[in-house]
Amino acid sequence: MRTSWADSVANSASENATTNSSNTNGLKRPTRSTYVPPHLRNKQPSTDPHPPPHAAPAPSPVNDRAGFGGPATGSRWGGDSRPDFGRVGGYGGRGGNAWNGRSGGWDRGREREVNPFGEDENAVEAFGEQENSGINFDAYEDIPVETSGDNVPPPVNTFAGIDLGDALNENIRRCKYVKPTPVQRYAIPISLAGRDLMACAQTGSGKTAAFCFPIISGIMRGHGVQRPRGARTVYPLALILSPTRELSCQIHDEAKKFSYQTGVKVVVAYGGAPINQQLRELERGVDILVATPGRLVDLLERARVSLQMINYLALDEADRMLDMGFEPQIRKIVEQMDMPPPGARQTMLFSATFPKEIQRLASDFLSNYIFLAVGRVGSSTDLIVQRVEFVHESDKRSHLMDLLHAQRENGINGKQSLTLVFVETKKGADSLEHWLCINGFPATTIHGDRTQQEREQALRLFKTGKTPILVATDVAARGLDIPHVAHVVNFDLPNDIDDYVHRIGRTGRAGKTGLATAFFNENNLSMARPLADLMQEANQEVPAWLTRYASRASYGGGGRNRRSGGGRFGGRDFRRDGSLNRGTDYYGGANSSSGYGVPGGYVGGYGPGVTSAWD
DNA sequence: AAAAAAG
């Protein structure tokens, strides 16, 4: 067995190269030469119609701050109109100049809906989210699924078996979704039956589509519903909330694809961006509103949006939305504005993790709901090799440097694979980014103290590989689909095992292997047991020293609850636990949450050899 | 204690 992390990085990298052999230049070539983003339609051609020089092979990485690696490359606030050629994921469509207010002929061309699939519907990478392609569907038979609740509708096996309507089916075809994923097989019929739903499923498992399809279908069915005509108030029929701005953008981009030519209008609203353009979009009509909580409250208080016609409410990353920081805002939106009560609307909650105490809170928003948990494929979490190393606080930087050096030396064609480094604080993110840059590793950072332009710029530079290292706080931990992340480093471990699960789920996506390295030290004692348990459950090699820490006293309540007794059925309906384990049970199975081990895992069973990083 | 989310 290999013991060096350098080998494992090399192995992981080369496997990625093999897995992706038909697309080895995915990071550097223009992925959608034929696609014109909505905000660029009907504009004068860019002064440079060709991809800029850094589109050439082996681009030199850049940083987005003055003084490191040259000037920023993004168009930022609407300067030039260069195509966002390097975009890989769905979210990047926001581009650099989405807020410039220069709608040009776009408004006038409003009767002509922009084709989000581009002119070439057969383009392989028409969208970054290829969650259904490249999956070994035979492995689905092995996926553990648990449902509970009254009269659970049976799952379907094909999209054809679901009456979603022609237009939606056509978009499913355009997305190249050949077969529903497990969460879709179960969630869509439940949702079409009008039932409330609490669903546990890994990110990357198609849950966005799982709640979007029924919503779009339902809105189409109910077309012609009369809505009030407030002076400047709009009345969306569906509301989708998410905990970060970038995630809302990503969901919006997905939903736009699904609703193309259905007549269903999707609008996104989030903070940090000028509100005027969002207001204009709303005024042009909205059926599905995707939003972050703060901006939505603003819109509600301005009476620019009313929730009284909401038929569908979806909370993505629902456990995060209902944790301490968010809960009051969510309650305000859902309970204290004009939204119809549970039972009069349909409510769907989705997350990869669902702690029991959050389930209890969430049940306030639900009516006679069905609980759905879709587990991972057998050992597919081996797609992510998890390593934990004991690193003293003072040694972290040099240790990270060692990792990056080896990764660089073992990289493909001298090109670094993408590395996502999670830290605890915003200041820590800035300082680590600066340190990496002055030590020859172009890095950028994303956290809540940066402006929204900077955040989007950072994400774009990272996604396109121009800046192959991204230092992030937990703002990037959840939901973001960033292809080609080969390595997630938990430079600072989170204090909650669920956060760890979400973080490492940024890699090992789309059937590729991923590596997750965690730095553990005496500040993380409370994570020893949950981490050791999680790794063991995911068939990872647990260092003996970690097992020793884990078996000692339980270090206070860190890591919160943990480890369901159910093994791969960690996602458990809290209603089944009755009052049995309340209070005293710490590891006893009353909880829910990350029993799946690792999000993204189910794309596995993808092919032979994926577990070989440690063979 | 920190992060996120309105400005």
Side-chain angles (χ1 to χ4, degrees):
Chain A
M1 147 189 136
R2 287 197 185 91
T3 52
S4 121
W5 52 265
D7 286 339
S8 67
V9 170
N11 192 325
S12 174
S14 61
E15 279 185 13
N16 281 348
T18 338
T19 313
N20 204 21
S21 57
S22 62
N23 188 26
T24 46
N25 57 351
L27 283 183
K28 35 188 188 192
R29 82 180 150 79
T31 52
R32 270 181 284 297
S33 53
T34 56
Y35 172 65
V36 180
H39 58 285
L40 295 178
R41 301 278 286 219
N42 302 321
K43 292 177 90 167
Q44 293 303 318
S46 161
T47 50
D48 176 10
H50 303 294
H54 43 247
S60 49
V62 297
N63 176 265
D64 58 341
R65 294 194 179 183
F68 300 112
T73 53
S75 51
R76 314 289 276 213
W77 290 101
D80 70 74
S81 55
R82 139 185 106 73
D84 195 4
F85 69 93
R87 177 154 67 93
V88 182
Y91 152 73
R94 208 105 273 98
N97 48 10
W99 302 336
N100 59 9
R102 286 165 50 193
S103 41
W106 185 12
D107 284 336
R108 287 189 295 280
R110 124 181 215 190
E111 59 282 352
R112 243 191 355 210
E113 183 178 8
V114 172
N115 180 355
F117 297 92
E119 290 159 32
D120 179 6
E121 289 187 1
N122 295 317
V124 174
E125 289 204 351
F127 291 94
E129 187 80 10
Q130 301 168 62
E131 52 193 22
N132 286 27
S133 48
I135 295 175
N136 177 0
F137 284 86
D138 293 338
Y140 280 13
E141 309 310 319
D142 299 332
I143 291 187
V145 175
E146 180 182 301
T147 56
S148 49
D150 301 334
N151 300 314
V152 180
V156 292
N157 287 310
T158 62
F159 286 121
I162 320 172
D163 185 20
L164 289 168
D166 291 343
L168 199 42
N169 282 333
E170 181 65 8
N171 290 333
I172 291 170
R173 184 193 65 75
R174 289 177 173 123
C175 288
K176 315 219 179 303
Y177 292 175
V178 286
K179 208 174 163 184
T181 67
V183 66
Q184 291 163 3
R185 290 182 52 212
Y186 284 81
I188 293 175
I190 290 169
S191 184
L192 287 177
R195 300 293 300 278
D196 282 4
L197 174 65
M198 179 185 291
C200 258
Q202 296 96 343
T203 48
S205 64
K207 61 188 166 70
T208 308
F211 59 74
C212 282
F213 289 175
I215 290 175
I216 294 167
S217 169
I219 290 176
M220 290 173 71
R221 234 178 279 270
H223 221 64
V225 169
Q226 278 302 318
R227 276 181 268 185
R229 291 184 57 88
R232 309 179 74 184
T233 309
V234 293
Y235 297 81
L237 303 173
L239 176 64
I240 301 171
L241 293 173
S242 95
T244 66
R245 298 163 182 174
E246 287 78 10
L247 186 52
S248 280
C249 289
Q250 184 178 296
I251 294 167
H252 170 248
D253 290 344
E254 289 261 321
K256 290 280 278 191
K257 291 186 292 179
F258 303 149
S259 60
Y260 177 56
Q261 288 187 344
T262 61
V264 175
K265 290 191 165 184
V266 190
V267 175
V268 66
Y270 57 93
I275 200 169
N276 283 339
Q277 185 158 347
Q278 292 173 8
L279 288 173
R280 276 199 300 277
E281 286 297 315
L282 289 168
E283 280 173 10
R284 292 173 49 192
V286 54
D287 298 303
I288 301 175
L289 177 58
V290 185
T292 49
R295 177 54 59 90
L296 177 60
V297 168
D298 190 359
L299 293 168
L300 292 168
E301 287 174 346
R302 294 175 188 223
R304 298 300 296 262
V305 170
S306 162
L307 301 177
Q308 80 181 60
M309 297 298 286
I310 291 292
N311 290 323
Y312 306 91
L313 170 66
L315 267 53
D316 201 6
E317 307 296 342
D319 58 331
R320 166 64 84 226
M321 304 299 285
L322 294 172
D323 80 5
M324 285 203 327
F326 271 121
E327 197 216 349
Q329 260 180 317
I330 301 302
R331 277 198 191 277
K332 175 169 186 170
I333 292 167
V334 177
E335 294 179 334
Q336 290 156 33
M337 306 303 289
D338 51 353
M339 192 184 308
R345 62 161 197 263
Q346 197 176 340
T347 307
M348 293 173 278
L349 311 183
F350 282 76
S351 182
T353 54
F354 241 123
K356 174 186 169 189
E357 58 274 20
I358 302 283
Q359 289 191 38
R360 194 176 290 123
L361 276 178
S363 57
D364 288 354
F365 301 119
L366 297 161
S367 166
N368 186 29
Y369 66 96
I370 290 167
F371 179 90
L372 167 66
V374 183
R376 59 186 161 90
V377 179
S379 61
S380 67
T381 50
D382 294 338
L383 279 177
I384 301 178
V385 173
Q386 297 178 59
R387 295 218 60 196
V388 52
E389 301 174 342
F390 198 98
V391 185
H392 287 292
E393 211 61 42
S394 54
D395 297 334
K396 281 184 173 179
R397 285 186 172 183
S398 61
H399 198 79
L400 176 62
M401 189 70 98
D402 290 345
L403 288 176
L404 293 173
H405 266 301
Q407 197 166 322
R408 172 179 283 178
E409 282 157 19
N410 293 298
I412 315 158
N413 304 326
K415 189 183 62 186
Q416 252 183 321
S417 45
L418 300 190
T419 302
L420 181 50
V421 183
F422 282 104
V423 297
E424 186 72 13
T425 66
K426 295 178 277 196
K427 288 182 83 157
D430 278 336
S431 124
L432 181 59
E433 178 223 19
H434 180 255
W435 187 84
L436 286 169
C437 286
I438 61 180
N439 282 282
F441 285 97
T444 184
T445 182
I446 184 167
H447 60 69
D449 274 355
R450 303 199 80 189
T451 67
Q452 191 57 25
Q453 314 96 285
E454 288 172 328
R455 285 166 58 157
E456 299 190 8
Q457 165 86 337
L459 200 50
R460 197 163 48 242
L461 286 172
F462 183 59
K463 277 187 169 182
T464 57
K466 290 175 208 158
T467 307
I469 302 169
L470 179 64
V471 182
T473 61
D474 270 330
V475 69
R478 284 174 174 259
L480 294 187
D481 191 50
I482 309 172
H484 312 301
V485 174
H487 195 180
V488 169
V489 178
N490 273 291
F491 188 90
D492 301 318
L493 269 169
N495 293 314
D496 186 314
I497 193 67
D498 285 344
D499 292 332
Y500 174 85
V501 168
H502 285 274
R503 285 179 177 187
I504 69 172
R506 297 313 102 210
T507 187
R509 298 174 77 88
K512 294 181 200 143
T513 56
L515 177 64
T517 305
F519 296 173
F520 181 100
N521 63 33
E522 59 281 353
N523 296 326
N524 311 115
L525 297 181
S526 68
M527 285 291 287
R529 174 134 52 167
L531 185 58
D533 289 351
L534 178 79
M535 289 176 68
Q536 183 162 26
E537 191 179 305
N539 297 319
Q540 300 292 312
E541 186 171 317
V542 184
W545 59 263
L546 183 62
T547 307
R548 282 199 296 278
Y549 276 114
S551 61
R552 288 180 204 169
S554 60
Y555 301 117
R560 216 176 45 232
N561 46 55
R562 242 1 57 166
R563 303 280 45 87
S564 75
R568 35 206 262 170
F569 272 109
R572 248 187 90 84
D573 188 347
F574 90 102
R575 295 175 296 186
R576 290 189 157 194
D577 296 311
S579 54
L580 288 178
N581 323 303
R582 204 155 288 160
T584 53
D585 105 272
Y586 192 73
Y587 296 101
N591 81 83
S592 52
S593 83
S594 33
Y596 300 130
V598 182
Y602 95 70
V603 297
Y606 182 69
V610 292
T611 67
S612 62
W614 299 101
D615 286 349

